[in-house]
Amino acid sequence: MNIWNDKGHFINGVWTGAMGGTSVENPADRSTVATISAGTTTEVNAAVAAAKAALAGWMATSVAERAAVLAKVGAMLEERQDDFAKAITLEVGMPLKLAKMIQVGLPLQSFQNTARIADAFPFERKVGNSTVIQEAVGVVAAITPWNYPLHQIAAKVAPALAAGCTVVLKPADLAPLNALLLADLFEAAGAPAGIFNVVTGPGAKIGLHLATHPDVDMISFTGSTKTGAMLAREAASQIKRISLELGGKSAAVVLEDADLAKAVKATVNACFLNSGQTCSALTRLIVPQARKDEAVEIAREATRAFVLGNPLDPATRLGPVISHKQREGIRHLIQTAQNEGGTLVTGGADAPEGLDGGYYVKPTIFADVSPDATLAQEEVFGPVLAILTARDDDDAVAIANNSRYGLSGSVWAGSEERATAAARRIRTGQIEINGGRFNALAPFGGFKQSGYGRELGEFGIEEFVETKSLQF
Ligand code: ADP
């Protein structure tokens, strides 16, 4: 099934440049979904030149004009959401219904929300005898990963454009089709040429060339901590702005008076979502020592609902992981957890039966994981949950904070007050209290090695402005 006809790269409002060179693989059966262009530095240079040339004109437009472009793209995305969901299911492997709801639903909100709130952003304000202007930071290099590919793109592109920036996007090599489909929407929407450009190809070559290009004013990166750290070093040498959304090892903290069944089920669901390939996934479940056995049983039972299978099959709750390399890494960490004395509750490293064609991993849970064990410290990016125990609230908070990451988390308690008191002491960018819902207008980003910078809503626009004072 070929779902994309290669047209090259989207540069300066037209499709151009080298074609072919890379296949996009369906992780469910290893078939080729499409063939796309493996870009070169020539295309990156052309895209940056286009973004630079378009900058002054785009910055000079009114907020309302910029919001109108975003609203139009949002409306077109809504119309074509089934096509986008299908493409993302084929390239990422997330079950179709979930892909439509999350992989397309969230980016839709980013375009619609940003179009709606841009007008209220304080692009200009009076401070004494000064007019303080928050203007576009300039040309933005957006480098994005494959796990929620369109969400991560929209969370950068919509606010950057709202702020008056122009963008060159280098999407993930493993899941680039949604980015190309998005470029189609910008073309059909009649967006000004050069404000949004897409160049596809390998990260280490063209991603790096893009990020370090002297005409790029800011890098907005989502991906691994290793690549993020390397890009931060590169950015430092040019005093270039960079925002980083990196890994996580987020904890669900369940205090002793919490509704244990509700908390454990919600954590299992959050851990296994998208086969565990979620940077904010709750991958450590911290329960009171006295309630461990009960928690393990609830978790084991909840895992039964995660039926592995082809993501196009409506009965499937858990699709494959993205690639052979990813699966091998996950299996290795499962093996390590066993070697380090974790008790295997369900799942395991061996391949699930009858699913040889794709990169499937059994939903896996370990109990008796020590807070310093590899499984409690390393991001797995696969469907693997570690259950840990704590003596009391202080101990639970200390274990949650025993991580070099600080992206997300949740706290469950009998009262909102008790949960909030613990949440205030946990060093992460967002925390759900007793199952609080994801809020697409709330700032999203990390503490510690989960990165810096915030995305979404008003805070997302703030990432892409530079401040200037005019004195009168
Ligand atoms: P992941 O494991 O989530 O793929 P990566 O950090 O490897 O995380 O990739 C995230 C994005 O960064 C992808 O678009 C990838 O192509 C790109 N990338 C990978 N290596 C580099 C690099 N050396 N320089 C710039 N971008 C890179």
Side-chain angles (χ1 to χ4, degrees):
M1 187 179 343
N2 194 328
I3 60 163
W4 175 255
N5 289 320
D6 191 14
K7 302 190 275 191
H9 312 267
F10 187 65
I11 300 172
N12 209 23
V14 293
W15 292 93
T16 178
M19 292 209 265
T22 309
S23 321
V24 180
E25 186 185 35
N26 180 349
D29 60 11
R30 302 192 186 111
S31 63
T32 295
V33 179
T35 303
I36 62 144
S37 315
T40 65
T41 53
T42 307
E43 281 94 14
V44 172
N45 293 342
V48 173
K52 190 182 177 191
L55 184 63
W58 185 241
M59 278 177 75
T61 57
S62 67
V63 185
E65 282 172 80
R66 300 199 292 272
V69 171
L70 299 178
K72 198 161 181 191
V73 170
M76 294 173 123
L77 176 57
E78 191 166 21
E79 251 170 53
R80 293 197 52 198
Q81 54 184 303
D82 288 329
D83 297 339
F84 276 82
K86 180 97 180 280
I88 295 171
T89 287
L90 290 175
E91 58 188 344
V92 176
M94 190 188 219
L96 186 59
K97 204 170 117 197
L98 282 169
K100 187 169 168 185
M101 201 168 78
I102 301 170
Q103 300 272 15
V104 185
L106 287 180
L108 192 53
Q109 284 190 58
S110 279
F111 279 103
Q112 291 171 340
N113 285 346
T114 310
R116 188 166 45 80
I117 65 172
D119 189 46
F121 188 81
F123 285 109
E124 210 166 300
R125 73 187 105 160
K126 282 276 182 205
V127 178
N129 65 316
S130 302
T131 296
V132 176
I133 299 171
Q134 295 201 283
E135 66 178 42
V137 68
V139 173
V140 172
I143 300 179
T144 53
W146 46 261
N147 57 331
Y148 291 88
L150 191 63
H151 167 58
Q152 284 134 346
I153 289 169
K156 300 182 188 314
V157 171
L161 292 177
C165 295
T166 56
V167 179
V168 179
L169 167 68
K170 205 302 281 176
D173 333 15
L174 294 175
L177 299 178
N178 60 91
L180 297 167
L181 288 168
L182 182 66
D184 260 351
L185 300 191
F186 272 86
E187 185 183 23
I195 64 163
F196 174 61
N197 308 273
V198 182
V199 181
T200 53
K205 203 167 129 222
I206 73 155
L208 187 59
H209 186 74
L210 171 62
T212 55
H213 196 295
D215 289 335
V216 165
D217 298 291
M218 175 175 168
I219 305 163
S220 178
F221 174 81
T222 300
S224 64
T225 296
K226 186 165 161 260
T227 303
M230 187 277 294
L231 289 177
R233 283 193 294 275
E234 292 290 342
S237 70
Q238 296 180 28
I239 323 292
K240 187 179 280 189
R241 284 263 296 273
I242 180 165
S243 69
L244 299 169
E245 205 269 271
L246 309 173
K249 190 76 208 179
S250 299
V253 171
V254 184
L255 303 178
E256 134 277 321
D257 60 348
D259 181 337
L260 189 71
K262 205 168 159 194
V264 172
K265 280 184 208 158
T267 305
V268 168
N269 290 347
C271 180
F272 294 160
L273 181 70
N274 203 22
S275 297
Q277 303 166 119
T278 305
C279 47
S280 56
L282 301 170
T283 52
R284 292 182 294 154
L285 171 61
I286 304 170
V287 297
Q289 252 160 18
R291 303 191 73 182
K292 187 202 94 180
D293 292 345
E294 212 187 323
V296 165
E297 280 322 303
I298 298 164
R300 191 202 312 271
E301 196 51 40
T303 306
R304 285 176 190 276
F306 285 84
V307 177
L308 268 171
N310 191 301
L312 290 174
D313 180 344
T316 295
R317 267 294 288 287
L318 201 64
V321 298
I322 189 91
S323 66
H324 174 74
K325 187 170 156 230
Q326 189 69 18
R327 184 179 59 178
E328 291 313 298
I330 297 165
R331 285 179 168 169
H332 174 72
L333 282 165
I334 293 175
Q335 206 57 61
T336 306
Q338 258 171 313
N339 297 345
E340 291 183 3
T343 306
L344 185 65
V345 174
T346 183
D350 50 323
E353 270 172 42
L355 290 167
D356 304 338
Y359 305 122
Y360 291 93
V361 178
K362 290 183 193 169
T364 299
I365 299 179
F366 281 95
D368 309 308
V369 177
S370 105
D372 294 318
T374 306
L375 190 63
Q377 291 295 325
E378 296 300 321
E379 183 175 48
V380 179
F381 236 57
V384 185
L385 178 68
I387 301 180
L388 296 81
T389 56
R391 289 186 305 275
D392 52 28
D393 294 21
D394 287 351
D395 194 32
V397 168
I399 293 170
N401 283 332
N402 175 11
S403 173
R404 67 177 188 281
Y405 294 114
L407 189 55
S408 192
S410 72
V411 182
W412 298 79
S415 70
E416 214 162 79
E417 291 68 36
R418 186 170 177 177
T420 308
R424 287 185 189 280
R425 293 193 286 151
I426 295 174
R427 305 279 297 162
T428 67
Q430 44 270 303
I431 303 181
E432 295 159 7
I433 308 288
N434 281 338
R437 275 182 303 115
F438 181 79
N439 176 358
L441 283 167
F444 184 92
F447 282 36
K448 300 193 261 181
Q449 290 189 25
S450 291
Y452 37 70
R454 292 292 179 270
E455 297 192 314
L456 304 180
E458 181 191 338
F459 295 85
I461 301 176
E462 208 170 287
E463 282 298 297
F464 295 102
V465 294
E466 188 66 279
T467 307
K468 178 190 280 178
S469 302
L470 304 181
Q471 272 67 249
F472 293 90

